[in-house]
Amino acid sequence: MLGTIVNTCAILVGSAAGSLVRRGLKEEYQSVLFTATGLAATGLGINAVVQNMPESQYPVLFIFSLALGGLAGTALDLNGRFQRLTQARAGAGSRLGEGLSTAILLFCIGTLSILGPVNSALYGDNTYLFTNATLDLVTSMVLASTYGIGIAIAAAVLFCWQGTIYLLASLAGPFLSETLMCEVSIVGGFLIASSGIGILGLKDCKTLNLLPALAVPVLWCLAAGALGF
């Protein structure tokens, strides 16, 4: 868990530093940071898809995942509930919900954040997590300079996320195949890109409503392994 603890602390430090910088930024500079954050998220998402798509064993699984996950998330109104919660905490008109949802996706759904706890649990190797911590330090500074100190909440989410993966990997390592990680990373890439598109103002994809899509590849791969196909 050392790598996860370091990763969590990096986000807290980056959020604190970014929020201090934010106080001295003029509106036009904050606008530029919004654009930069949106472009970065979109690019990272596309990169995750492009990197993992050639390795996919089920090339159309991501389509079903996004469709089924989107239906489930919309039925549960995940995006609406999250936005109402953050607005109640930060005040009406706050964009914290948008920033926090983006932060959670960037910090938690990346390949390093998924494979890192697995490598740590199975092999005691924290290299991925230390690398991820460095990236998240910079990302959290940019996000906090745009959305404020509330981005630090994502650190708690990341700790729970990576801690859960670490625990599952310790208990069920053989079931966490490369195929499963690949399919989850593809869906995650689309979610990150969707978040970036929302920040850029091109389309409000309500990315949190798509979040259940991450469960579909997991269920599919477990079923495929059990049935032997």
Side-chain angles (χ1 to χ4, degrees):
M1 288 289 289
L2 175 62
T4 294
I5 293 173
V6 171
N7 203 163
T8 302
C9 291
I11 294 174
L12 292 173
V13 172
S15 298
S19 65
L20 291 175
V21 172
R22 181 173 185 257
R23 297 176 183 177
L25 285 179
K26 296 181 179 179
E27 185 175 348
E28 57 265 33
Y29 295 126
Q30 292 188 26
S31 177
V32 169
L33 288 176
F34 274 117
T35 301
T37 302
L39 288 172
T42 303
L44 288 171
I46 293 173
N47 181 63
V49 172
V50 171
Q51 277 192 333
N52 290 282
M53 191 73 78
E55 307 299 326
S56 175
Q57 300 298 312
Y58 310 103
V60 297
L61 179 58
F62 74 91
I63 301 176
F64 290 102
S65 299
L66 292 171
L68 294 175
L71 290 173
T74 300
L76 295 171
D77 192 23
L78 296 180
N79 186 76
R81 293 173 187 269
F82 186 80
Q83 296 300 332
R84 287 191 292 272
L85 176 62
T86 53
Q87 286 181 8
R89 298 291 183 182
S94 171
R95 298 185 67 178
L96 177 60
E98 177 185 68
L100 193 53
S101 61
T102 300
I104 291 171
L105 289 170
L106 287 173
F107 297 153
C108 297
I109 312 302
T111 302
L112 292 175
S113 193
I114 294 174
L115 295 181
V118 175
N119 274 17
S120 179
L122 298 181
Y123 312 114
D125 182 3
N126 289 304
T127 303
Y128 282 174
L129 289 176
F130 290 156
T131 302
N132 199 54
T134 304
L135 296 173
D136 288 350
L137 174 66
V138 177
T139 304
S140 60
M141 288 178 65
V142 174
L143 287 170
S145 66
T146 306
Y147 297 100
I149 191 62
I151 294 300
I153 298 173
V157 178
L158 175 123
F159 182 82
C160 294
W161 168 258
Q162 290 188 356
T164 300
I165 295 177
Y166 182 94
L167 180 61
L168 291 175
S170 299
L171 298 176
F175 298 100
L176 299 177
S177 64
E178 291 185 6
T179 298
L180 171 58
M181 294 300 175
C182 176
E183 304 302 334
V184 170
S185 295
I186 292 173
V187 175
F190 277 105
L191 295 185
I192 294 173
S194 169
S195 181
I197 290 171
I199 294 175
L200 291 172
L202 299 177
K203 179 177 176 57
D204 182 5
C205 299
K206 293 182 171 56
T207 305
L208 288 179
N209 281 346
L210 297 171
L211 208 54
L214 290 169
V216 178
V218 176
L219 297 175
W220 175 268
C221 290
L222 290 178
L227 297 175
F229 64 90

